[in-house]
Amino acid sequence: MSRKLVLAAACLVLSIILVGVIARGRSVVGRRWTLPDGNEIALIAVTVGSRHEFVLGKRLRDHLYQVLPARWAAKLGTKLATQTVVDTNSVVLWFRYQHAPTPTAATFPPLPCQVTVVDREGIESEPVAGAQSVFFLSAEARLHALEVRHLPRRSHNFRVRLYARDFTGKVIRLGEAAISRSVNGSAKSWVPEDLPAAQGTNGLVVTLAGFTSRIPTERTSATVLAPDAHSFCRAIFQIAEWGQPAPNWWVNIVSLNAATGEQLTPAAQAFRSNEMVVLDFPAALWAEEPAWKMRVRLSRSGRFPAEELWHFPQVPLPGSRQVIELNARTNMFGEEVEFLGITSPRAPLPSEWIAIPGKACLQYRFPAPLPGLQFVLVSVRDDHDRAVPWGGMRQEFSTGGRGATMREINRAQALEIPADARSLAVTFALSRELDVEFVVHPDH
């Protein structure tokens, strides 16, 4: 009888521990892969939610930590690895990297592979770029915590896929693992628009003429490791102002949101094709999601309204190793911008001005961020009415002399000033940007 009681008690304790582990949102995976250099990496745990911890010890009290209330567990002295996340609905993958006991292997903290997310339809994301933490376990092992924010949130599971490069630089797929998680299936769904769809204001009309996701691309860039991901999208826009084509407007930012809370701001590249602006960007739009809100930002590249221009008709040029300080300021649309001056090569610069070796530079400053606005150099002409080309640009963030928060951007724009020029006419623009939003289906 006593044996049965002991067995029942043991089962009860084990059940409590298992329930506690699940309640804390942790699941044990235990998948292992061998890297091209012979070292080993293993996915040992997955945590879900707002609290992400990994117990490093193996004592009984370390196991109890996972089932006891937080105020009791804190008294156990358990050694923990914790990962702070940006998104409270994110997933953290815990990898154990077992490496050779050499100083070189122990001093390179980045995860020795890249990870992508794959949904049930085989749509694959860009390499995961969430927050990472590294915990050194011994001279031969370390623990990596990797936050995954972009994932199918309506599904009960998804897959993670690992890639690495061999000694020749060739990309190889190490393998993949299935991940189970709590779902957000109760989130509402949006309804996609029929295309073409138009949005506009003040005479400017932006038409989304076409949208395509899952464009196959050959990924050979050194910065993108996964060679066979199918996660590129293409949006095609027609832009008109007062009924006429508007080549002076440009699409330069895109963000995507799903009803489940997915948020993406991929790096986009735009180019013109006839009267259309084509925008390409990497983004895995999960098949489970019926619609995505796509917000694009448009900015002017020319034909600025007079109220957006700031003009300096005659700015003297500095001599050799000299600086012309203007320190001119103006307030436009509630924001203060500054034209600091012009510097010649190798001139001693005032504080926070920026040098570009061997170049004469325009120096200017503007707030950061500039919500809904852009401050741009529009034109530079010399006293012979010749256009002065500009090339390289450098910029640095500044606190503006107030506290530790970055508030301003100091920028230097290199100029190719003709030798016989004596002055410059300089025009800036503080221009309003336009945001428009469309609701798209991944398979449009």
Side-chain angles (χ1 to χ4, degrees), residues 234 250 269-273 276-280:
R234 171 167 291 176
W250 196 249
Q269 292 185 336
F271 62 92
R272 291 194 181 274
S273 178
M276 301 292 188
V277 175
V278 180
L279 193 70
D280 286 346

Side-chain angles (χ1 to χ4, degrees), residues 11-315:
C11 291
L12 179 61
V13 171
L14 180 60
S15 299
I16 292 173
I17 291 176
L18 290 176
V19 170
V21 171
I22 294 172
R24 288 290 180 91
R26 174 182 169 186
S27 60
V28 180
V29 181
R31 292 294 308 276
R32 300 175 182 274
W33 300 274
T34 301
L35 295 162
D37 60 5
N39 293 326
E40 183 182 84
I41 190 163
L43 178 60
I44 57 176
V46 178
T47 52
V48 180
S50 59
R51 183 177 179 180
H52 297 273
E53 298 174 336
F54 187 87
V55 178
L56 297 176
K58 296 181 180 180
R59 301 162 298 179
L60 175 60
R61 63 180 180 177
D62 295 329
H63 293 291
L64 289 175
Y65 174 89
Q66 301 174 64
V67 299
L68 292 176
R71 69 178 188 275
W72 296 356
K75 300 177 181 180
L76 295 176
T78 302
K79 187 176 181 182
L80 295 173
T82 61
Q83 174 64 50
T84 302
V85 297
V86 175
D87 183 352
T88 56
N89 194 26
S90 61
V91 168
V92 171
L93 308 177
W94 298 86
F95 291 95
R96 179 185 174 92
Y97 176 42
Q98 192 76 28
H99 52 74
T102 62
T104 301
T107 55
F108 285 91
L111 192 66
C113 60
Q114 285 194 353
V115 181
T116 64
V117 174
V118 185
D119 75 357
R120 64 173 182 261
E121 300 294 331
I123 299 172
E124 186 173 6
S125 74
E126 290 293 287
V128 173
Q132 268 195 75
S133 295
V134 181
F135 308 90
F136 290 92
L137 305 177
S138 68
E140 302 177 3
R142 61 180 185 254
L143 183 70
H144 289 261
L146 175 63
E147 179 189 8
V148 181
R149 296 196 295 268
H150 182 42
L151 47 87
R153 296 177 188 266
R154 296 187 191 271
S155 299
H156 288 278
N157 56 65
F158 61 93
R159 289 174 288 150
V160 293
R161 190 171 286 167
L162 275 66
Y163 294 89
R165 293 188 184 274
D166 63 15
F167 294 107
T168 67
K170 181 182 178 182
V171 176
I172 61 172
R173 184 192 294 184
L174 298 178
E176 60 184 46
I179 307 295
S180 298
R181 62 179 298 276
S182 58
V183 297
N184 193 13
S186 61
K188 64 180 180 180
S189 298
W190 294 326
V191 178
E193 299 176 81
D194 293 329
L195 300 185
Q199 299 284 339
T201 183
N202 296 329
L204 186 71
V205 177
V206 183
T207 301
L208 177 61
F211 181 81
T212 308
S213 67
R214 312 177 197 176
I215 299 175
T217 55
E218 186 64 27
R219 317 294 281 287
T220 57
S221 168
T223 59
V224 179
L225 197 56
D228 55 357
H230 296 268
S231 58
F232 265 73
C233 301
R234 171 167 291 176
I236 302 175
F237 300 93
Q238 186 175 37
I239 307 173
E241 194 167 19
W242 305 113
Q244 299 297 319
N248 55 308
W249 281 91
W250 196 249
V251 179
N252 55 7
I253 293 179
V254 62
S255 64
L256 297 109
N257 295 273
T260 53
E262 281 287 278
Q263 296 181 354
L264 295 169
T265 307
Q269 292 185 336
F271 62 92
R272 291 194 181 274
S273 178
N274 297 323
E275 294 184 358
M276 301 292 188
V277 175
V278 180
L279 193 70
D280 286 346
F281 54 91
L285 304 188
W286 312 122
E288 66 181 24
E289 200 62 44
W292 296 72
K293 288 184 179 179
M294 180 177 67
R295 175 171 292 183
V296 295
R297 176 163 295 175
L298 293 94
S299 57
R300 286 185 184 268
S301 58
R303 295 171 58 187
F304 296 91
E307 67 269 18
E308 295 185 350
L309 295 174
W310 192 27
H311 186 57
F312 294 82
Q314 193 172 13
V315 182

